């Protein structure tokens, strides 16, 4: 995994400039955002632009830079992708998770064969995963409860901001509309109810008994 990354704002890059993310800067950024999540300050839809600006201000104070909120957001996207890769690799057949060292352990022969086909996975296998706990806090938190609950490994739970502010909200309850007068009408939801086989059998039995009683009454007449 690279220790540095060059990031520019996706908008007016001439104004925002280009910065090189060092491990110390990344550690502070992820730590700051993980702390927001731990304190319950992140909204249900994710981080807001104000959170990105606050994080940028902390970075600028510490490292004497001119990081923007947009650059924080762009750098966060890199780590979101890394988290997605980690989640997939943790579920590899034969992989073991070492909680003490935050390492995905794979037999050497298996690992060599896997990395030969997927070289990009090599930095995440049989080596401690940097910033794992911060990523788990930021991207692996539960996004809902009850029937709509998502597990900590569900990648749909890592939405951070709505599309209007330059990010994507992956909530399944969000619909897009191009109609200027309001949102589209919701279609009625049809639910198919499957009857229990035991109930079906009992109902059939009751019907046979009822028919027999009717026939018996007819014979008496």
């Amino acid at each position: 995994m690279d220790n540095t990354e060059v990031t520019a704002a996706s908008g007016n890059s001439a104004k925002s400039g280009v910065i090189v993310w060092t491990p110390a800067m990344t550690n502070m950024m992820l730590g700051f955002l993980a702390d927001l999540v731990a304190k319950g300050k992140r909204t249900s839809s994710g981080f807001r632009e104000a959170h990105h600006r606050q994080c940028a201000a902390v970075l600028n104070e510490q490292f004497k830079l001119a990081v923007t909120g947009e650059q924080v957001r762009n750098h966060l996207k890199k780590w979101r992708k890394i988290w997605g890769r980690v989640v997939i690799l943790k579920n590899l057949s034969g992989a073991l998770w070492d909680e003490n060292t935050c390492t995905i352990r794979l037999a050497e022969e298996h690992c060599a064969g896997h990395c030969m086909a997927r070289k990009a996975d090599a930095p995440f296998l049989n080596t401690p995963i940097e910033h794992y706990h911060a990523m788990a806090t930021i991207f692996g938190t539960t996004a809902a409860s009850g029937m709509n609950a998502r597990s900590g490994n569900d990648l749909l739970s890592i939405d951070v901001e709505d599309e209007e502010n330059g990010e994507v909200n992956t909530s399944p309850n969000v619909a897009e509309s191009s109609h200027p007068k309001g949102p589209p009408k919701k279609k009625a939801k049809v639910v198919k109810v499957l009857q229990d086989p035991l109930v079906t059998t009992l109902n059939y039995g009751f019907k046979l008994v009822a028919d027999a009683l009717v026939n018996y009454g007819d014979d008496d007449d």
Side-chain angles (χ1 to χ4, degrees):
M1 189 184 305
D2 294 334
N3 290 326
T4 60
E5 181 193 14
V6 178
T7 305
S10 59
N12 189 353
S13 58
K15 178 180 178 180
S16 302
V18 176
I19 63 171
V20 177
W21 288 90
T22 64
M25 291 168 61
T26 295
N27 186 61
M28 177 169 283
M29 182 197 79
L30 293 176
F32 178 87
L33 295 175
D35 188 57
L36 287 181
V37 176
K39 293 179 178 178
K41 294 185 177 180
R42 186 180 64 176
T43 66
S44 59
S45 61
F47 293 115
R48 294 295 181 186
E49 188 58 38
H51 296 142
H52 298 145
R53 290 197 298 268
Q54 291 169 9
C55 184
V58 171
L59 289 167
N60 293 334
E61 176 68 22
Q62 177 66 27
F63 299 102
K64 310 304 178 186
L65 298 171
V67 181
T68 67
E70 188 174 6
Q71 287 170 322
V72 169
R73 184 183 64 194
N74 289 340
H75 191 51
L76 186 62
K77 290 179 181 178
K78 168 193 171 179
W79 289 95
R80 185 189 307 147
K81 292 178 181 178
I82 290 175
W83 174 253
R85 176 53 50 189
V86 168
V87 169
I88 292 172
L89 294 177
K90 285 180 68 176
N91 292 309
L92 271 181
S93 176
L96 298 176
W97 173 246
D98 187 335
E99 185 68 36
N100 294 325
T101 61
C102 298
T103 302
I104 301 171
R105 300 200 179 279
L106 205 61
E108 291 298 331
E109 184 177 347
H110 188 177
C111 183
H114 179 88
C115 293
M116 185 177 296
R118 300 177 180 275
K119 295 181 180 179
D121 290 346
F124 308 105
L125 296 173
N126 293 337
T127 186
I129 298 173
E130 59 181 339
H131 310 304
Y132 176 84
H133 291 297
M135 286 193 292
T137 299
I138 296 171
F139 305 124
T141 52
T142 301
S145 60
M147 294 181 62
N148 294 322
R150 301 177 184 279
S151 68
N153 288 337
D154 194 330
L155 299 187
L156 292 182
S157 67
I158 60 176
D159 52 295
V160 287
E161 198 88 32
D162 52 54
E163 191 174 26
E164 182 180 355
N165 290 322
E167 296 197 30
V168 177
N169 185 336
T170 55
S171 170
N173 297 322
V174 176
E176 293 182 356
S177 173
S178 58
H179 199 290
K181 295 184 179 180
K185 295 182 179 179
K186 294 182 178 179
K187 295 182 178 179
K189 185 176 181 180
V190 179
V191 179
K192 294 183 179 180
V193 179
L194 299 178
Q195 192 172 42
D196 191 311
L198 178 59
V199 175
T200 301
T201 301
L202 290 174
N203 288 339
Y204 180 69
F206 292 149
K207 183 177 184 302
L208 290 177
V209 172
D211 291 343
L213 291 174
V214 171
N215 293 332
Y216 181 77
D218 292 341
D219 292 340
D220 289 343
D221 293 339

